[in-house]
Amino acid sequence: MRRMLLEGLFRRPVTEGAPTIADAEIEALAERLGVAAKARLGRSLSIREVDAGSCNGCELEIHALNNSYYDVERFGLRFVASPRHADVLMVTGPVTANMREGLERTYAATPAPKWVVAIGDCAAGCGVFGKSYAVVGAVSNVIPVDLVIPGCPPEPIDMLKGLVGLIEASARG
Amino acid sequence: MSTLRTALLNAALTVEEQKPWPRITVDADTWRQATLAVAAGNATLSGLWAEPGAVHMALLDDDDGSLMVLTLLASDGRFPSVGLTHPPAQRLERKIVDLYGLIPEGMPDDRRWLDHDRWGVRAPLGSSAPASADGATYPFLKAEGPPLHQIAVGPVHAGIIEPGHFRFSANGEIVVRLEERLGYVHKGIEGLLINTTLEAAAKVVARVSGDSTVAYSLAFARAAEAALGVAVPQRAVWLRALMAELERLANHLGDIGAICNDAAFALMLAHCGMLREEVLRATKIAFGHRLMMDCIVPGGIATDLHDAAPILALTMHIRQRFPRLVELYDNTASLQNRTVSTGRLLPELARRFGAGGPVGRASGRAFDARKAPGYPPYGDLDFKMIKREDGDVDARIWVRIDEVYESLELIEQIVDRLPAGPIAYPLAPALRERKVPQAGGLANEPRDSASEGLAMVEGFRGDILVWLRTDETGHVLRGTVRDPSVFHWPLLEAAIEGNIVADFPLCNKSFNCSYSGHDL
């Protein structure tokens, strides 16, 4: 272990530079959020992930945000265990009938101001599962959605751009 | 099982057109005898599914990997329960009740399973009668004794994971009983596979469990190709195996890190997480998608590999870095203290439930679908089946560690011997020229136009079973999938018993069952 730690001191970090996001995108997002949250949140957001029916593909890529390449915490983004600690809900999956109440209760348990980010094509529009008796709809059919990050699954870098944009926007808002 | 197979074939009323293994229709007596044979361990139950008016049971011979499907017509809506004598069938039967409304006579557990009273419809794939959607309370099993308390967890969990409910009955720190309640991510996948195009069905099956998308697409493609009698070019066969091993590699690396992280050893997670990310980046370069979703299609593959250099660079890099992590795991006593002897799954239980993948192989069940039944190109490749006997968290980690090396070996062999040529044959002309089989289908479908295919593929969790019925144009009439987690979930309940509550995350992660693959 000592050798690995020592190596860690001398090797260059694998963590990559911050993604670039167009100013206009941030302005648009800030306008859309329209909440004066800066005073309360500063430049940090706590995120609670909710799987409302996903195939687990999106979860894998959300996990990847925590690895050393993306290192999401350096941007002030932190995944938390309880909706009570969260500013942002990241929701994946087409909302299944069996998860609808779970999602609604998680949303209700999150203190305001709060934002909902729908992650992936299923969360955005049910993906390939739209025609099923067991699916109630996209996330926006159940709770208000502030930001959609499409993809099947979206790549970590796309999610990072979206979330960093959200921070910037909330700081300006 | 060979004597059982002969007996069953002799008792068959009709033999249906299913490839490559037979599907026979039997009477209720033969169905019961088969059930008893499975309970006695003469064969492994590999799947149990239904359609309106019929139930199907897939039997697996552990030794040679051959499969056989038994069909019982349930014209009165009832069939003799398999779960009555063979507990691994119970949740599958509860699913059949919920989705099709067929009643397993004598079934010991009549609580609803996937149906949480939320769909607004009862038996959606059967009679489809309107029902309330208010949600029902679920009667959990009791554990008795004065000092017991209950801990309820989920469906929304603390981490970035899929939803499900766990109900612990604990005596102080000791878990007396764990009961799972699943079905939260039920998306109605079997319903989506009724009367649809091959392309649409392939997309749905690729999303049964996103972490195993390659294995599912491969199983679906193999079942479809068997049903339709179409061939796949050699280059596609080999590249499919390359994708499957890259997927296994990425998932095993992720699992090894995540299990250690649940014993508060974050260093392993950090390092394994980097290796996993590097695998995904290499697959993105090689095949255009990090998880290789929809890269395997019936008839071949969707994207060719133009340059194998990034993949070889990846295996070299992992060969350099990974042994040090293994050494670290092996030499850290505080970590071993958490994993050794924790969450022991008895070999007898693993055998009875037909536990596949690292969970089964860590408990002495020597089964790997790549070896038996086997499918190309694995017969031409040199690799070992990893097996351990201890059945604890430590054994499940070691099986994964050793399988990482085997996958590296396989990837290098495949890249080295990759045949040239086309990556897919167009399906349409093959289907036009194909001879229409003489038998197949059930009840209300025309008997001379349907054909069926069955495929078993080894995903990173274990053997995945896909069954498919198509008409002569390749249109999907009906299909089902069975995830290895179906048999792992009940075993997790058994493995945690007598362990402390704090070790549950560790045990759970070492099984790493799929919620979505189970709930379908």
Side-chain angles (χ1 to χ4, degrees):
Chain A
M1 179 150 69
R2 252 175 312 182
R3 193 172 56 170
M4 287 178 58
L5 294 175
L6 205 65
E7 247 181 33
L9 284 177
F10 295 108
R11 265 195 332 194
R12 292 174 57 82
V14 297
T15 312
E16 293 162 335
T20 49
I21 306 154
D23 225 37
E25 281 176 57
I26 296 168
E27 284 302 331
L29 205 62
E31 204 166 313
R32 194 139 45 89
L33 294 173
V35 190
K38 187 180 178 183
R40 259 188 262 186
L41 298 172
R43 297 181 65 87
S44 121
L45 290 177
S46 294
I47 307 169
R48 173 67 251 221
E49 197 269 345
V50 186
D51 175 343
S54 133
C55 74
N56 201 28
C58 289
E59 275 64 31
L60 291 179
E61 294 296 61
I62 294 173
H63 259 297
L65 284 174
N66 280 320
N67 75 33
S68 308
Y69 281 89
Y70 303 105
D71 188 17
V72 74
E73 290 210 13
R74 73 192 142 131
F75 300 107
L77 296 159
R78 206 162 62 89
F79 285 93
V80 294
S82 166
R84 304 236 182 253
H85 306 157
D87 310 305
V88 174
L89 292 183
M90 271 175 106
V91 188
T92 63
V95 182
T96 65
N98 289 350
M99 264 310 284
R100 180 189 196 135
E101 188 189 344
L103 176 60
E104 286 169 344
R105 286 169 68 163
T106 307
Y107 182 74
T110 311
K114 56 188 164 188
W115 296 286
V116 175
V117 183
I119 300 282
D121 290 346
C122 291
C126 293
V128 298
F129 301 107
K131 277 184 271 174
S132 174
Y133 59 87
V135 169
V136 296
V139 175
S140 60
N141 292 99
V142 179
I143 54 174
V145 169
D146 300 290
L147 178 66
V148 173
I149 301 177
C152 188
E155 296 194 4
I157 191 70
D158 299 329
M159 291 192 258
L160 200 55
K161 277 184 191 165
L163 291 170
V164 171
L166 194 65
I167 285 198
E168 294 294 327
S170 73
R172 290 183 196 186
Chain B
M1 178 175 150
S2 60
T3 50
L4 174 68
R5 186 162 44 209
T6 315
L8 288 172
L9 277 172
N10 286 337
L13 301 176
T14 56
V15 180
E16 316 292 345
E17 182 75 16
Q18 177 185 271
K19 288 171 185 147
W21 296 286
R23 179 168 75 79
I24 58 174
T25 306
V26 297
D27 59 18
D29 269 343
T30 314
W31 179 271
R32 279 194 200 92
Q33 280 166 19
T35 302
L36 291 175
V38 168
N42 294 334
T44 301
L45 179 77
S46 187
L48 186 66
W49 69 98
E51 60 184 293
V55 278
H56 309 281
M57 165 162 60
L59 301 181
L60 168 74
D61 183 335
D62 264 23
D63 298 326
D64 66 7
S66 65
L67 285 151
M68 172 180 243
V69 177
L70 265 55
T71 298
L72 178 68
L73 297 176
S75 42
D76 60 346
R78 313 178 81 80
F79 65 96
S81 167
V82 180
L84 176 64
T85 43
H86 190 56
Q90 285 180 10
R91 285 179 179 172
L92 288 163
E93 282 185 343
R94 290 165 73 185
K95 174 183 160 195
I96 289 173
V97 177
D98 288 356
L99 298 187
Y100 294 91
L102 299 172
I103 306 297
E105 282 180 301
M107 106 195 256
D109 189 344
D110 60 1
R111 293 173 297 166
R112 296 190 197 287
W113 183 236
L114 299 181
D115 183 350
H116 293 192
D117 269 315
R118 297 284 186 185
W119 300 333
V121 62
R122 196 69 80 208
L125 305 181
S127 61
S128 192
S132 82
D134 305 332
T137 49
Y138 186 76
F140 285 95
L141 299 176
K142 299 248 181 320
E144 288 175 1
L148 295 186
H149 64 283
Q150 284 199 342
I151 307 168
V153 183
V156 179
H157 292 159
I160 304 169
I161 41 172
E162 302 180 83
H165 183 90
F166 299 120
R167 185 64 59 95
F168 298 91
S169 297
N171 183 356
E173 275 297 299
I174 308 288
V175 177
V176 175
R177 162 173 279 178
L178 161 65
E179 194 183 357
E180 298 147 1
R181 188 192 186 197
L182 303 173
Y184 289 93
V185 286
H186 174 73
K187 295 182 270 292
I189 284 173
E190 262 180 44
L192 293 169
L193 295 180
I194 295 172
N195 195 16
T196 183
T197 63
L198 205 56
E199 294 74 30
K203 289 221 153 153
V204 170
V205 173
R207 286 155 184 81
V208 165
S209 185
D211 43 33
S212 305
T213 178
V214 171
Y216 268 100
S217 289
L218 177 54
F220 178 85
R222 288 187 55 79
E225 287 148 9
L228 300 169
V230 296
V232 179
Q234 275 304 304
R235 184 171 175 83
V237 168
W238 284 68
L239 283 175
R240 284 174 171 189
L242 178 61
M243 293 182 199
E245 294 312 316
L246 284 166
E247 180 177 80
R248 195 180 327 276
L249 187 63
N251 282 310
H252 278 359
L253 287 169
D255 279 352
I256 293 164
I259 299 169
C260 294
N261 190 52
D262 277 345
F265 201 71
L267 185 63
M268 279 291 270
L269 177 69
H271 282 274
C272 288
M274 279 193 276
L275 292 183
R276 180 187 152 84
E277 177 68 22
E278 283 151 18
V279 177
L280 299 188
R281 289 177 175 212
T283 59
K284 162 97 183 183
I285 295 170
F287 297 108
H289 191 285
R290 283 162 58 91
L291 304 180
M292 294 169 282
M293 220 161 228
D294 303 322
C295 285
I296 294 179
V297 293
I301 56 171
T303 34
D304 201 355
L305 176 71
H306 297 295
D307 181 12
I311 290 180
L312 289 178
L314 171 79
T315 58
M316 236 168 73
H317 177 70
I318 296 176
R319 280 190 188 283
Q320 243 169 25
R321 311 281 324 166
F322 189 61
R324 294 194 202 167
L325 300 176
V326 177
E327 196 187 323
L328 178 62
Y329 173 72
D330 206 12
N331 291 340
T332 307
S334 61
L335 182 56
Q336 300 260 319
N337 184 31
R338 295 289 305 280
T339 59
V340 175
S341 84
T342 303
R344 185 162 272 161
L345 171 64
L346 297 177
E348 165 53 23
L349 268 183
R351 186 200 60 72
R352 205 191 307 164
F353 277 72
V359 172
R361 290 193 285 272
S363 288
R365 182 168 180 256
F367 183 80
D368 184 330
R370 292 173 294 174
K371 291 281 189 194
Y375 45 95
Y378 289 102
D380 295 327
L381 293 165
D382 186 23
F383 69 106
K384 286 197 295 285
M385 179 177 0
I386 307 299
K387 185 173 80 103
R388 294 203 163 224
E389 306 292 332
D390 295 332
D392 53 3
V393 173
D394 179 58
R396 289 187 282 277
I397 291 179
W398 276 111
V399 167
R400 289 184 173 99
I401 288 174
D402 291 338
E403 289 187 4
V404 163
Y405 288 118
E406 292 305 314
S407 284
L408 289 173
E409 190 70 41
L410 281 166
I411 290 168
E412 288 162 353
Q413 286 180 46
I414 293 168
V415 169
D416 189 38
R417 295 165 53 192
L418 196 58
I423 53 164
Y425 294 141
L427 270 183
L431 291 177
R432 275 199 298 276
E433 285 163 24
R434 191 175 64 95
K435 271 198 226 154
V436 177
Q438 289 311 301
L442 265 174
N444 46 15
E445 279 152 14
R447 291 185 62 81
D448 55 355
S449 67
S451 58
E452 300 173 2
L454 186 66
M456 186 183 262
V457 158
E458 185 76 15
F460 85 102
R461 283 197 181 88
D463 49 290
I464 289 167
L465 193 71
V466 172
W467 174 85
L468 200 64
R469 180 186 295 147
T470 65
D471 70 9
E472 75 273 20
T473 64
H475 196 73
V476 175
L477 300 173
R478 196 169 278 283
T480 193
V481 302
R482 195 268 300 143
D483 194 86
S485 308
V486 167
F487 299 119
H488 291 167
W489 276 116
L491 292 172
L492 175 63
E493 291 183 346
I496 188 69
E497 195 186 318
N499 285 261
I500 58 172
V501 176
D503 277 345
F504 176 70
L506 200 52
C507 294
N508 189 22
K509 192 57 83 179
S510 75
F511 273 69
N512 189 17
C513 305
S514 167
Y515 296 71
S516 186
H518 168 280
D519 295 351
L520 293 181

